[in-house]
Amino acid sequence: MIISMRKMKDNQKGRIVKVNCEGELRQRINDMGLTSGTEFKIIGRAPLFDPVALKVRGFTITLRNNEADHIEVEVID
C-alpha cells in the first residue's frame, strides 16, 4: 500500500517510493538521504504531531508534516 509519509504511525517501517516535489525542497529531502528505495522507521512525533522524527541510514532526522506530505512510501510489516 502506497501512502504519504505523514499518514504513517509511530514505530511503523517504510520504504520511500517517490518524492513528489521540485526545487529547493526536493534538494533538501535528497540531502537528508531520503531517496527512492530508502528504508526508514517512524520513531515519534512532537506533542502537536508536527514534526515527525524518523530513523534513516543510522541517523535520526525530523521532517515537518508539509515536507512529509511530498514523500510517497510503501509500508513494510
Coordinates of all heavy atoms in Angstrom, one line a residue:
M1 N 0.8 -1.2 0.0 CA 0.0 0.0 0.0 C 0.9 1.2 0.0 O 1.8 1.4 0.8 CB -0.9 0.0 1.2 CG -1.7 1.2 1.4 SD -3.0 1.2 2.7 CE -2.1 1.0 4.2
I2 N 0.6 2.2 -0.9 CA 1.4 3.4 -1.0 C 0.6 4.5 -0.3 O -0.6 4.8 -0.7 CB 1.7 3.8 -2.5 CG1 2.3 2.6 -3.2 CG2 2.5 5.0 -2.6 CD1 3.6 2.2 -2.8
I3 N 1.3 5.2 0.6 CA 0.6 6.3 1.3 C 1.7 7.5 1.5 O 2.8 7.3 1.2 CB 0.1 5.9 2.7 CG1 1.3 5.4 3.6 CG2 -1.0 4.9 2.6 CD1 0.9 5.2 5.1
S4 N 1.2 8.6 1.9 CA 2.1 9.7 2.2 C 2.8 9.4 3.6 O 2.2 8.8 4.5 CB 1.4 11.0 2.3 OG 1.5 11.7 3.5
M5 N 4.1 9.8 3.7 CA 4.8 9.6 5.0 C 4.0 10.1 6.2 O 4.1 9.6 7.3 CB 6.2 10.1 4.9 CG 7.1 9.9 6.1 SD 8.7 10.6 6.0 CE 9.5 9.5 4.9
R6 N 3.4 11.2 6.0 CA 2.7 11.9 7.1 C 1.6 11.0 7.7 O 1.3 11.1 8.9 CB 2.0 13.2 6.6 CG 1.2 13.9 7.6 CD 0.6 15.1 7.0 NE 0.0 16.0 8.0 CZ -0.3 17.3 7.8 NH1 -0.2 17.8 6.6 NH2 -0.8 18.0 8.8
K7 N 1.0 10.1 7.0 CA 0.0 9.2 7.5 C 0.5 8.0 8.2 O -0.3 7.2 8.7 CB -0.9 8.8 6.3 CG -1.6 9.9 5.6 CD -2.5 9.5 4.5 CE -3.2 10.7 3.9 NZ -3.9 10.3 2.7
M8 N 1.8 7.8 8.3 CA 2.3 6.6 9.0 C 2.2 6.8 10.5 O 2.1 7.9 11.0 CB 3.8 6.4 8.6 CG 3.9 6.0 7.1 SD 5.6 5.7 6.7 CE 5.9 4.1 7.6
K9 N 2.2 5.7 11.2 CA 2.1 5.7 12.7 C 3.4 5.5 13.3 O 4.4 5.0 12.7 CB 1.1 4.6 13.1 CG -0.3 4.8 12.5 CD -1.2 3.6 12.9 CE -2.6 3.9 12.3 NZ -3.3 2.7 11.9
D10 N 3.5 5.8 14.6 CA 4.8 5.6 15.3 C 5.2 4.1 15.2 O 4.3 3.2 15.3 CB 4.6 6.0 16.8 CG 4.5 7.5 17.0 OD1 4.6 8.2 16.0 OD2 4.3 7.9 18.1
N11 N 6.5 3.9 15.2 CA 7.1 2.5 15.1 C 6.8 1.8 13.8 O 7.1 0.6 13.7 CB 6.7 1.7 16.3 CG 7.2 2.3 17.6 OD1 8.4 2.7 17.7 ND2 6.4 2.4 18.6
Q12 N 6.2 2.4 12.8 CA 6.0 1.8 11.5 C 7.2 1.9 10.7 O 7.9 3.0 10.7 CB 4.8 2.4 10.8 CG 3.8 1.5 10.3 CD 2.5 2.1 9.8 OE1 2.4 3.4 9.7 NE2 1.6 1.3 9.3
K13 N 7.5 0.9 9.9 CA 8.6 1.0 9.0 C 8.1 1.2 7.5 O 7.0 0.7 7.2 CB 9.4 -0.3 9.0 CG 10.1 -0.5 10.3 CD 10.9 -1.8 10.3 CE 11.6 -2.0 11.7 NZ 12.3 -3.2 11.7
G14 N 8.9 1.8 6.7 CA 8.5 2.0 5.3 C 9.7 2.1 4.4 O 10.9 2.2 4.8
R15 N 9.4 2.2 3.1 CA 10.4 2.3 2.1 C 9.9 3.5 1.2 O 8.7 3.5 0.7 CB 10.5 1.1 1.3 CG 11.5 1.1 0.1 CD 11.7 -0.2 -0.6 NE 12.0 -1.3 0.3 CZ 11.2 -2.3 0.5 NH1 10.0 -2.4 0.0 NH2 11.6 -3.3 1.3
I16 N 10.8 4.4 0.9 CA 10.4 5.5 0.0 C 10.2 5.1 -1.4 O 11.0 4.4 -2.0 CB 11.4 6.7 0.1 CG1 11.5 7.2 1.5 CG2 11.1 7.8 -0.9 CD1 12.6 8.2 1.8
V17 N 9.0 5.4 -2.0 CA 8.7 5.1 -3.4 C 9.0 6.3 -4.3 O 9.6 6.1 -5.3 CB 7.2 4.7 -3.5 CG1 6.8 4.4 -4.9 CG2 7.0 3.4 -2.6
K18 N 8.6 7.5 -3.9 CA 8.7 8.6 -4.7 C 8.7 9.9 -3.9 O 8.0 10.0 -2.9 CB 7.6 8.6 -5.7 CG 7.6 9.7 -6.8 CD 6.5 9.5 -7.8 CE 6.6 10.6 -8.9 NZ 5.5 10.5 -9.8
V19 N 9.5 10.9 -4.3 CA 9.4 12.2 -3.8 C 8.7 13.1 -4.8 O 9.3 13.3 -5.9 CB 10.8 12.7 -3.4 CG1 10.8 14.1 -2.8 CG2 11.5 11.8 -2.4
N20 N 7.6 13.7 -4.4 CA 6.8 14.5 -5.3 C 6.9 16.0 -5.1 O 6.0 16.7 -4.6 CB 5.3 14.1 -5.1 CG 5.0 12.8 -5.7 OD1 5.4 12.4 -6.7 ND2 4.2 12.0 -4.9
C21 N 8.1 16.5 -5.3 CA 8.3 18.0 -5.3 C 9.5 18.3 -6.1 O 10.2 17.4 -6.5 CB 8.5 18.4 -3.8 SG 9.8 17.7 -2.9
E22 N 9.8 19.6 -6.3 CA 10.9 20.0 -7.1 C 11.6 21.1 -6.3 O 11.2 21.6 -5.3 CB 10.4 20.6 -8.4 CG 9.7 19.5 -9.3 CD 10.6 18.4 -9.7 OE1 11.8 18.6 -9.9 OE2 10.1 17.2 -9.8
G23 N 12.7 21.6 -6.9 CA 13.4 22.8 -6.4 C 14.1 22.5 -5.1 O 14.7 21.4 -4.8
E24 N 14.2 23.6 -4.3 CA 14.9 23.6 -3.0 C 14.4 22.5 -2.1 O 15.2 21.9 -1.4 CB 14.8 24.9 -2.3 CG 15.6 26.0 -3.0 CD 15.6 27.3 -2.3 OE1 15.3 27.3 -1.1 OE2 15.7 28.3 -3.0
L25 N 13.1 22.3 -2.0 CA 12.5 21.3 -1.1 C 13.0 19.9 -1.5 O 13.4 19.1 -0.7 CB 11.0 21.3 -1.1 CG 10.3 20.3 -0.2 CD1 10.8 20.4 1.3 CD2 8.8 20.5 -0.2
R26 N 12.9 19.6 -2.8 CA 13.4 18.3 -3.2 C 14.9 18.1 -2.9 O 15.3 17.0 -2.5 CB 13.2 18.1 -4.7 CG 13.6 16.7 -5.2 CD 13.3 16.5 -6.7 NE 13.6 15.1 -7.0 CZ 12.7 14.2 -7.1 NH1 11.4 14.5 -6.8 NH2 13.0 13.0 -7.4
Q27 N 15.7 19.1 -3.1 CA 17.1 19.1 -2.8 C 17.3 18.8 -1.3 O 18.2 18.0 -0.9 CB 17.8 20.3 -3.3 CG 19.3 20.3 -3.1 CD 20.0 19.2 -4.0 OE1 19.7 19.1 -5.2 NE2 20.8 18.4 -3.4
R28 N 16.6 19.5 -0.5 CA 16.7 19.3 1.0 C 16.4 17.9 1.4 O 17.1 17.3 2.2 CB 15.8 20.3 1.7 CG 15.7 20.2 3.2 CD 14.9 21.4 3.7 NE 14.1 21.0 4.9 CZ 14.5 20.7 6.1 NH1 15.8 20.7 6.3 NH2 13.7 20.5 7.1
I29 N 15.3 17.4 0.8 CA 14.9 16.0 1.1 C 15.9 15.0 0.7 O 16.3 14.1 1.4 CB 13.5 15.7 0.5 CG1 12.4 16.5 1.3 CG2 13.2 14.2 0.5 CD1 11.0 16.5 0.6
N30 N 16.5 15.2 -0.5 CA 17.5 14.3 -1.0 C 18.8 14.4 -0.2 O 19.4 13.4 0.1 CB 17.9 14.7 -2.5 CG 16.8 14.2 -3.5 OD1 16.0 13.3 -3.2 ND2 16.8 14.8 -4.6
D31 N 19.1 15.6 0.2 CA 20.3 15.9 1.1 C 20.2 15.1 2.4 O 21.3 14.8 3.0 CB 20.6 17.3 1.3 CG 21.1 18.1 0.0 OD1 21.4 17.4 -0.9 OD2 21.1 19.3 0.1
M32 N 19.0 14.9 2.9 CA 18.8 14.2 4.2 C 18.9 12.7 3.9 O 18.8 11.9 4.9 CB 17.5 14.6 4.8 CG 17.5 16.0 5.4 SD 16.0 16.3 6.3 CE 14.8 16.7 5.0
G33 N 19.1 12.3 2.7 CA 19.2 10.8 2.4 C 17.9 10.2 2.1 O 17.8 8.9 2.1
L34 N 16.8 11.0 1.9 CA 15.5 10.4 1.7 C 15.3 10.3 0.2 O 14.6 11.1 -0.4 CB 14.4 11.3 2.4 CG 14.6 11.4 3.9 CD1 13.6 12.5 4.4 CD2 14.4 10.1 4.6
T35 N 15.8 9.2 -0.4 CA 15.7 9.0 -1.8 C 14.9 7.7 -2.0 O 14.7 6.9 -1.1 CB 17.1 8.9 -2.4 OG1 17.8 7.8 -1.8 CG2 17.9 10.2 -2.3
S36 N 14.5 7.5 -3.3 CA 13.7 6.3 -3.6 C 14.4 5.0 -3.2 O 15.6 4.9 -3.4 CB 13.4 6.2 -5.1 OG 12.6 7.3 -5.5
G37 N 13.7 4.1 -2.6 CA 14.3 2.8 -2.1 C 14.8 2.8 -0.7 O 15.1 1.8 -0.2
T38 N 14.9 4.0 -0.1 CA 15.5 4.1 1.2 C 14.5 3.6 2.3 O 13.3 4.0 2.2 CB 15.9 5.6 1.6 OG1 16.8 6.0 0.6 CG2 16.5 5.7 3.0
E39 N 14.9 2.8 3.2 CA 14.1 2.3 4.3 C 14.2 3.1 5.5 O 15.3 3.7 5.7 CB 14.3 0.8 4.6 CG 14.0 -0.1 3.4 CD 14.1 -1.6 3.7 OE1 14.3 -1.9 4.9 OE2 13.9 -2.4 2.8
F40 N 13.2 3.3 6.3 CA 13.2 4.1 7.5 C 12.2 3.6 8.5 O 11.4 2.7 8.2 CB 12.9 5.6 7.1 CG 11.5 5.7 6.5 CD1 10.4 6.0 7.4 CD2 11.3 5.5 5.2 CE1 9.2 6.1 6.8 CE2 10.0 5.6 4.7 CZ 8.9 5.9 5.5
K41 N 12.2 4.2 9.7 CA 11.2 3.9 10.7 C 10.8 5.1 11.4 O 11.6 6.0 11.7 CB 11.8 2.9 11.8 CG 10.9 2.6 12.9 CD 11.6 1.6 13.9 CE 10.6 1.3 15.0 NZ 11.3 0.4 16.0
I42 N 9.5 5.3 11.5 CA 8.9 6.4 12.3 C 9.1 6.2 13.8 O 8.7 5.2 14.3 CB 7.4 6.6 12.0 CG1 7.1 6.8 10.5 CG2 6.8 7.8 12.8 CD1 7.6 8.0 9.9
I43 N 9.8 7.1 14.4 CA 10.1 6.9 15.8 C 9.3 7.8 16.8 O 9.3 7.5 18.0 CB 11.7 7.0 16.1 CG1 12.2 8.3 15.7 CG2 12.4 5.8 15.5 CD1 13.7 8.5 16.1
G44 N 8.7 8.8 16.3 CA 7.8 9.6 17.1 C 7.4 10.9 16.5 O 7.8 11.2 15.4
R45 N 6.6 11.6 17.3 CA 6.1 12.9 16.8 C 6.1 13.8 18.0 O 6.0 13.4 19.1 CB 4.6 12.7 16.3 CG 4.6 11.9 15.0 CD 3.2 11.7 14.5 NE 3.1 10.8 13.5 CZ 3.3 11.1 12.2 NH1 3.6 12.3 11.8 NH2 3.2 10.1 11.3
A46 N 6.1 15.1 17.7 CA 6.0 16.1 18.7 C 4.6 16.1 19.3 O 3.7 15.6 18.7 CB 6.4 17.5 18.1
P47 N 4.4 16.8 20.4 CA 3.1 16.8 21.1 C 1.9 17.2 20.2 O 0.9 16.7 20.3 CB 3.3 17.7 22.3 CG 4.7 17.6 22.6 CD 5.4 17.4 21.3
L48 N 2.2 18.1 19.3 CA 1.1 18.6 18.3 C 1.2 17.9 17.0 O 0.7 18.4 16.0 CB 1.2 20.1 18.2 CG 0.9 20.9 19.5 CD1 1.0 22.4 19.2 CD2 -0.5 20.6 20.0
F49 N 2.0 16.8 16.9 CA 2.1 15.9 15.8 C 3.0 16.5 14.6 O 3.0 16.0 13.5 CB 0.8 15.4 15.3 CG 0.0 14.6 16.3 CD1 -1.0 15.2 17.0 CD2 0.3 13.3 16.6 CE1 -1.7 14.5 17.9 CE2 -0.4 12.6 17.5 CZ -1.4 13.2 18.2
D50 N 3.6 17.6 14.9 CA 4.5 18.2 13.9 C 5.7 18.8 14.6 O 5.5 19.6 15.5 CB 3.7 19.3 13.2 CG 4.4 19.8 11.9 OD1 5.3 19.1 11.4 OD2 4.1 20.9 11.4
P51 N 6.9 18.3 14.3 CA 7.3 17.5 13.2 C 7.3 16.0 13.6 O 7.0 15.6 14.7 CB 8.8 17.9 13.0 CG 9.3 18.3 14.3 CD 8.1 18.9 15.0
V52 N 7.6 15.2 12.6 CA 7.7 13.7 12.7 C 9.2 13.4 12.8 O 10.0 13.9 12.0 CB 7.0 13.0 11.6 CG1 7.5 13.3 10.2 CG2 7.1 11.5 11.8
A53 N 9.6 12.5 13.7 CA 11.0 12.0 13.8 C 11.1 10.6 13.1 O 10.3 9.8 13.4 CB 11.4 12.0 15.2
L54 N 12.2 10.4 12.4 CA 12.4 9.1 11.8 C 13.8 8.7 11.8 O 14.7 9.5 11.9 CB 11.9 9.1 10.4 CG 12.3 10.1 9.4 CD1 12.7 9.5 8.1 CD2 11.1 11.0 9.1
K55 N 14.1 7.4 11.8 CA 15.4 6.8 11.8 C 15.7 6.4 10.4 O 14.9 5.6 9.8 CB 15.4 5.6 12.8 CG 16.8 5.1 13.0 CD 17.5 6.0 14.0 CE 18.5 5.2 14.9 NZ 19.2 6.1 15.8
V56 N 16.7 6.9 9.8 CA 17.1 6.6 8.4 C 18.6 6.5 8.3 O 19.3 7.5 8.8 CB 16.4 7.6 7.4 CG1 16.8 9.0 7.7 CG2 16.6 7.2 6.0
R57 N 19.1 5.5 7.7 CA 20.5 5.3 7.5 C 21.3 5.5 8.7 O 22.4 6.1 8.7 CB 21.0 6.3 6.4 CG 20.3 6.1 5.0 CD 20.8 7.1 4.0 NE 20.0 7.0 2.8 CZ 20.3 6.5 1.6 NH1 21.5 6.0 1.5 NH2 19.5 6.5 0.6
G58 N 20.8 5.1 9.9 CA 21.5 5.2 11.1 C 21.4 6.5 11.8 O 22.0 6.7 12.9
F59 N 20.7 7.5 11.3 CA 20.5 8.8 11.8 C 19.1 9.1 12.2 O 18.2 8.5 11.6 CB 20.9 9.9 10.8 CG 22.4 9.9 10.5 CD1 22.8 9.2 9.4 CD2 23.3 10.5 11.3 CE1 24.2 9.1 9.1 CE2 24.7 10.5 11.0 CZ 25.1 9.8 9.9
T60 N 18.8 9.9 13.2 CA 17.5 10.4 13.5 C 17.3 11.8 12.9 O 18.2 12.7 13.1 CB 17.3 10.5 15.0 OG1 17.5 9.2 15.6 CG2 15.9 11.0 15.3
I61 N 16.3 12.0 12.1 CA 16.0 13.3 11.5 C 14.6 13.6 11.7 O 13.8 12.7 12.1 CB 16.3 13.3 10.0 CG1 15.5 12.3 9.2 CG2 17.8 13.0 9.7 CD1 15.6 12.4 7.7
T62 N 14.2 14.9 11.6 CA 12.8 15.3 11.7 C 12.4 16.0 10.4 O 13.2 16.6 9.7 CB 12.6 16.2 12.9 OG1 13.4 17.4 12.7 CG2 12.9 15.6 14.2
L63 N 11.1 15.8 10.1 CA 10.5 16.5 9.0 C 9.2 17.1 9.4 O 8.5 16.6 10.2 CB 10.1 15.4 7.9 CG 11.2 14.8 7.0 CD1 10.5 13.7 6.1 CD2 11.9 15.8 6.2
R64 N 9.0 18.3 8.9 CA 7.7 18.9 9.1 C 6.6 18.1 8.3 O 6.9 17.5 7.3 CB 7.7 20.4 8.6 CG 8.6 21.2 9.4 CD 8.6 22.7 8.8 NE 9.8 23.4 9.2 CZ 10.7 23.7 8.3 NH1 10.6 23.4 7.1 NH2 11.8 24.3 8.8
N65 N 5.4 18.2 8.8 CA 4.3 17.5 8.1 C 4.2 17.9 6.6 O 3.9 17.1 5.8 CB 3.0 17.7 8.8 CG 2.9 16.8 10.0 OD1 3.5 15.7 10.1 ND2 2.1 17.2 11.0
N66 N 4.3 19.2 6.4 CA 4.2 19.7 5.0 C 5.3 19.1 4.1 O 5.1 19.0 2.9 CB 4.1 21.2 4.9 CG 5.4 21.9 5.3 OD1 6.2 21.3 6.0 ND2 5.5 23.2 5.0
E67 N 6.5 18.7 4.7 CA 7.5 18.1 3.9 C 7.2 16.6 3.7 O 7.4 16.1 2.6 CB 8.9 18.2 4.6 CG 9.3 19.7 4.7 CD 10.5 19.9 5.7 OE1 10.6 19.1 6.6 OE2 11.3 20.8 5.4
A68 N 6.7 16.0 4.8 CA 6.4 14.5 4.7 C 5.2 14.3 3.7 O 5.1 13.2 3.2 CB 6.0 14.0 6.1
D69 N 4.4 15.3 3.5 CA 3.3 15.1 2.5 C 3.8 14.8 1.1 O 3.1 14.2 0.3 CB 2.4 16.4 2.5 CG 1.5 16.5 3.7 OD1 1.2 15.5 4.3 OD2 1.1 17.7 4.0
H70 N 5.0 15.3 0.8 CA 5.5 15.1 -0.6 C 6.2 13.8 -0.8 O 6.7 13.5 -1.9 CB 6.5 16.2 -0.9 CG 5.9 17.6 -0.9 ND1 5.1 18.0 -1.9 CD2 5.9 18.6 0.0 CE1 4.7 19.2 -1.7 NE2 5.2 19.6 -0.5
I71 N 6.3 12.9 0.3 CA 7.0 11.7 0.2 C 6.1 10.5 0.2 O 5.4 10.3 1.2 CB 8.1 11.6 1.3 CG1 9.0 12.8 1.3 CG2 8.8 10.2 1.2 CD1 9.9 12.8 2.5
E72 N 6.0 9.8 -0.9 CA 5.2 8.6 -1.0 C 6.0 7.4 -0.5 O 7.1 7.2 -0.9 CB 4.7 8.3 -2.5 CG 3.8 9.3 -3.0 CD 3.3 9.0 -4.4 OE1 3.6 7.9 -4.9 OE2 2.7 9.9 -5.0
V73 N 5.4 6.6 0.3 CA 6.1 5.4 0.9 C 5.2 4.1 0.8 O 4.0 4.2 0.7 CB 6.4 5.7 2.4 CG1 7.3 6.9 2.5 CG2 5.2 5.8 3.2
E74 N 5.9 3.0 0.9 CA 5.3 1.7 1.0 C 5.5 1.3 2.4 O 6.7 1.2 2.9 CB 6.0 0.8 0.0 CG 5.6 -0.7 0.1 CD 6.4 -1.6 -0.9 OE1 7.4 -1.1 -1.4 OE2 5.9 -2.7 -1.0
V75 N 4.5 0.9 3.1 CA 4.6 0.4 4.5 C 5.1 -1.0 4.5 O 4.7 -1.8 3.7 CB 3.2 0.5 5.2 CG1 3.3 -0.1 6.6 CG2 2.7 1.9 5.2
I76 N 6.1 -1.2 5.3 CA 6.7 -2.6 5.5 C 6.3 -3.1 6.8 O 6.4 -2.5 7.8 CB 8.3 -2.4 5.5 CG1 8.8 -1.8 4.2 CG2 8.9 -3.8 5.7 CD1 10.3 -1.5 4.2
D77 N 5.8 -4.4 6.8 CA 5.4 -5.0 8.0 C 6.5 -5.4 8.9 O 7.6 -5.8 8.5 CB 4.5 -6.2 7.7 CG 3.2 -5.8 7.1 OD1 2.7 -4.7 7.5 OD2 2.7 -6.5 6.3

